[in-house]
């Protein structure tokens, strides 16, 4: 629906060149703002089950209402053509800020497990309406990029039934595939990739996530990798990952921040979870799960089971929100621990896709397209190993991670050619440049990012958040016009 008097976003740039239409825009905006300010200060979201159309409408509404701190995009489509919408929340959201970590929350991968889907909508509301009002939330938005995908299985959701606590109706996607068994498996096993799965994989390739959680129902527990054991795929036994210490810490933080998950909520008499957490394979092995896929691709993901009843009635939703709110917020805060930094070449240009390992932890992770890396670590002493195509392998000095701090370490890699030139030079006994006499393995060096004026190997606490200038006036005006357009069109969107 379009109104002829309202400038549309596509007219926006043109209108900026015309004073009269700019004035019209501003007047319109003022009018709309004045009427709206009184009635709506908050984004409004009721505690109810939201259909796919309502969910989409709400996400668009938030995006238009909070254009400076939200970005909306679809990562693909379900089999039946529903967009898979992600709302990105950060301040500012429209440009990349070096070393700001990205976190994702995914709901409703099983279409009939709906509590996460609704909680994520409420989390969106909580974050956007508390930004600039609540210090904790403001700090989260100014230090973190949060991506929220409330449903990855909208087709399954449409088949599921309110009040159906236990059946599998609506669990699968439109082609009857369990999406949480559809991810490429480390052993090479692979079902035919579904569009929803492919969308997540593509999304993970386009952005570098540090931390992630996926929300389910049918139990009340946090489940962490591995979900299966290599070579013995069906054995029910603890399958310890090399980052088990970190995963247990993450899982415990969620369960302990939750109202009662840590007291072991037993949905079934035989099912007990000490402290409200479990290793995946120790509970039941899962093949092709999203969690292990994430971990093997550099993202630390946990799986959170939110409710005994998979599709509770709407009147239970406020209670689930109250029980999980703190845990959902704390999980966003926890990303600032361990080590982070930049991988660069000798001319300080970022090296993307470098492969990193912490000490003997064999699951690696990669630098982002901006050369950034992050890894969550508990307090202790570690070394970092870096491999990048065309560069000499690098191994850091031991560094110490302290509690609730993040260790900053930038690494300058040495090109193989320059290393071999240095080597040849050394053999010839010449005296060119500073490389002479260095041994090749030691040619790489740790450096400091000049822009942040940090001494080499400095502890950077959360308080040192990145400060940035705000969007330019012209952009702001365009956004405002967009916003005004939306408000005028009202419920037609
Ligand atoms: C977005 O940011 C600009 C620049 O600071 C500001 O003028 C504008 O009011 C903000 N818009 C909204 C909707 O908050
Ligand atoms: C700010 O938000 C945090 C996190 O949700 C909450 O614990 C705290 O009580 C809020 N502060 C105020 C003053 O409302
Ligand atoms: C969880 O982590 C947050 C962020 O580090 C911290 O503030 C909170 O105290 C932790 N809570 C528990 C119960 O471990
Ligand atoms: Zn599930």
């Amino acid at each position: 629906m379009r109104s002829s008097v309202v400038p549309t976003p596509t007219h926006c740039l043109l209108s900026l060149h015309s004073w009269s239409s700019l004035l019209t825009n501003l007047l319109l905006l003022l009018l709309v703002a004045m009427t709206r300010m009184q009635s709506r200060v908050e984004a409004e979201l009721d505690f109810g089950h939201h259909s796919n159309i309502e969910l989409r409408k709400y996400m668009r509404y938030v995006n238009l209402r909070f254009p400076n701190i939200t970005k909306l995009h679809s990562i693909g489509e379900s089999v039946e053509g529903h967009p898979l919408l992600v709302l990105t929340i950060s301040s500012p959201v429209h440009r990349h800020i070096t070393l700001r970590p990205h976190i994702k929350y995914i709901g409703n991968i099983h279409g009939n497990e709906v509590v996460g889907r609704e909680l994520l909508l409420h989390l969106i509301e909580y974050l956007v309406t508390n930004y600039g009002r609540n210090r904790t939330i403001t700090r989260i938005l100014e230090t973190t990029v949060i991506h929220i995908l409330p449903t990855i299985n909208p087709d399954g959701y449409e088949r599921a039934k309110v009040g159906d606590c236990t059946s599998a109706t609506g669990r699968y996607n439109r082609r009857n595939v369990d999406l949480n068994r559809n991810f490429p498996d480390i052993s090479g096993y692979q079902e035919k990739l579904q569009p929803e799965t492919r969308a997540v994989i593509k999304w993970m390739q386009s952005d570098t996530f540090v931390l992630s959680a996926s929300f389910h129902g049918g139990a009340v527990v946090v489940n962490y990798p591995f979900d299966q054991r290599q070579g013995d795929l069906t054995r029910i036994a603890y399958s310890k990952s090399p980052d088990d210490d970190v995963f247990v810490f993450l899982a415990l933080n969620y369960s302990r921040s939750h109202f009662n998950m840590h007291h072991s909520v037993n949905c079934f008499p035989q099912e007990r979870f000490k402290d409200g957490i479990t290793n995946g394979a120790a509970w039941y092995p899962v093949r092709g799960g999203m969690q292990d896929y994430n971990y093997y691709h550099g993202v630390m993901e946990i799986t959170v089971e939110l409710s005994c009843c998979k599709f509770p009635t709407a009147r239970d939703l406020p209670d689930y929100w109250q029980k999980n709110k703190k845990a959902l917020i704390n999980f966003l805060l926890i990303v600032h621990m361990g080590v982070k930094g930049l991988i660069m070449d000798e001319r300080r240009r970022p090296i993307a896709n470098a492969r990193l390992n912490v000490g003997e932890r064999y699951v690696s992770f990669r630098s982002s397209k901006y050369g950034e890396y992050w890894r969550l670590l508990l307090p202790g002493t570690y070394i970092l190993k870096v491999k990048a195509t065309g560069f000499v392998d690098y191994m850091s000095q031991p560094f110490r991670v302290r509690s609730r701090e993040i260790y900053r370490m930038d690494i300058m890699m040495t090109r193989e050619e320059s290393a071999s030139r240095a080597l040849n030079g050394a053999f010839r006994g010449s005296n060119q440049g500073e490389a002479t006499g260095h041994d090749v393995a030691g040619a790489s060096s740790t450096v400091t990012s000049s822009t942040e004026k940090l001494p080499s190997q400095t502890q950077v606490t959360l308080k040192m958040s990145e400060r940035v200038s705000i969007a330019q006036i012209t952009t702001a005006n365009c956004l405002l016009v967009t916003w005004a357009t939306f408000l005028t069109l009202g419920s037609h969107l």
Side-chain angles (χ1 to χ4, degrees), residues 64-68 470-473 476 479-480 483:
L64 291 162
R65 183 110 170 73
F66 299 91
N68 290 355
I470 323 167
Q472 292 174 351
I473 294 295
L479 292 170
L480 290 173
W483 182 42

Side-chain angles (χ1 to χ4, degrees), residues 139 249-250 252-258 262 326-327 329-337 404 462:
R139 196 182 62 183
F249 183 83
L250 295 175
L252 276 178
N253 189 277
Y254 196 97
S255 75
R256 287 182 178 153
S257 302
H258 182 280
H262 54 288
K326 202 163 126 205
I329 303 285
N330 278 346
F331 196 72
L332 300 175
L333 286 164
I334 220 168
V335 71
H336 304 280
M337 68 180 210
R404 288 172 185 260
L462 237 180

Side-chain angles (χ1 to χ4, degrees), residues 370-387:
Y370 304 98
E372 308 148 295
Y373 74 90
W374 299 259
R375 198 61 163 180
L376 271 59
L377 294 169
L378 300 190
T381 302
Y382 302 91
I383 58 163
L384 196 65
K385 298 174 186 168
V386 190
K387 283 178 189 287

